[in-house]
Amino acid sequence: MRWRRAPHAAAPANGSGPNRGAGLPRPRRAGTVVGVSADPTHRAVEVRRSARRRRTVSAYREGDRTVVLIPARMSEAEERRWVGVMLDRLAARETRRTPGDAELAERAGRLSEQYLAGRARPRSVRWVTNQNSRWGSCTPAEGSIRLSHRLQGMPEYVVDYVLLHELAHLLVPGHGPRFWELLEAYPRTERARGYLEGVAAAERLPKVPEPRGD
């Protein structure tokens, strides 16, 4: 893991500072960013120290980054150890709940039967890690659908929406009225679009196509 620390904050104006004789770490302000790294999912890792935390450490995904929350007075060595622990825990949790390619294909088949009368029949459905400018894509001539790994860990209804979106493209290539009519049957279309738009706005990720006329 490559690790880069942010510069230390300047000493307080009143001249007070850390007790160097006691070897105590310099305290950070609550909520400041103190480190950036990269985890196995290729997300940036942001470490935030909080004076309100005493012992607990937590971590969560925030768009295209992983945020790790630690107590303000934790040492740098403890910080590095806990970041590794929390990344491992998140990865293990997401591995348990993230469907593989085979399950993704089965899921696409169920969605096609339920919302598209089984008319969309992809030959392959898989996760890809080289698709960072869009949430999903399809090649109608090949019957292939690819979902960005950025969707992994997002709510199931969001993944289902993107799957259904690409299934609809197997039937209608553009984003005209006929395309959006196909998605009207899915009850969480607007909710899923709102979720993806929120992530896109926060992290400057791919924009969600807007309904428009031909």
Side-chain angles (χ1 to χ4, degrees):
M1 178 190 305
R2 298 183 61 190
W3 191 261
R4 177 169 59 84
R5 296 194 55 80
H8 289 296
N14 61 10
S16 61
N19 185 340
R20 300 182 186 278
L24 297 176
R26 181 191 299 273
R28 303 295 201 285
R29 291 176 297 171
T32 55
V33 179
V34 298
V36 178
S37 180
D39 74 3
T41 64
H42 306 291
R43 291 179 172 89
V45 177
E46 180 178 311
V47 181
R48 298 175 185 171
R49 290 177 176 258
S50 171
R52 292 178 295 181
R53 285 180 174 264
R54 293 292 182 264
R55 298 180 181 177
T56 60
V57 178
S58 62
Y60 58 91
R61 305 297 193 194
E62 186 177 81
D64 199 31
R65 70 178 61 193
T66 300
V67 177
V68 181
L69 306 175
I70 64 174
R73 297 188 67 81
M74 183 174 283
S75 70
E76 294 183 15
E78 290 175 317
E79 175 186 315
R80 287 192 294 271
R81 181 173 70 85
W82 274 107
V83 166
V85 168
M86 299 311 293
L87 291 180
D88 287 344
R89 288 182 182 177
L90 281 175
R93 186 188 312 161
E94 291 171 354
T95 297
R96 288 194 298 269
R97 71 183 183 187
T98 300
D101 291 351
E103 185 179 345
L104 206 59
E106 292 177 4
R107 198 161 161 181
R110 291 195 299 269
L111 289 169
S112 178
E113 290 291 339
Q114 185 173 1
Y115 298 107
L116 301 174
R119 291 182 295 148
R121 299 179 181 275
R123 294 189 183 93
S124 68
V125 184
R126 60 192 176 92
W127 295 107
V128 293
T129 58
N130 61 348
Q131 194 164 262
N132 298 319
S133 62
R134 60 182 67 184
W135 299 113
S137 64
C138 76
T139 305
E142 300 176 357
S144 61
I145 289 176
R146 298 163 296 279
L147 295 194
S148 172
H149 72 287
R150 293 174 182 268
L151 291 165
Q152 294 176 350
M154 290 189 184
E156 289 187 0
Y157 74 89
V158 176
V159 178
D160 283 350
Y161 165 74
V162 177
L163 260 179
L164 193 59
H165 187 111
E166 300 309 326
L167 285 167
H169 274 312
L170 294 179
L171 304 176
V172 179
H175 288 111
R178 287 182 57 236
F179 173 83
W180 294 107
E181 286 172 5
L182 294 175
L183 296 183
E184 286 180 355
Y186 184 59
R188 294 189 172 184
T189 289
E190 291 305 316
R191 183 179 177 186
R193 283 174 49 77
Y195 185 99
L196 293 173
E197 286 171 349
V199 174
E203 299 296 330
R204 298 180 180 178
L205 292 180
K207 298 298 182 183
V208 182
E210 290 289 340
R212 55 183 172 79
D214 286 327

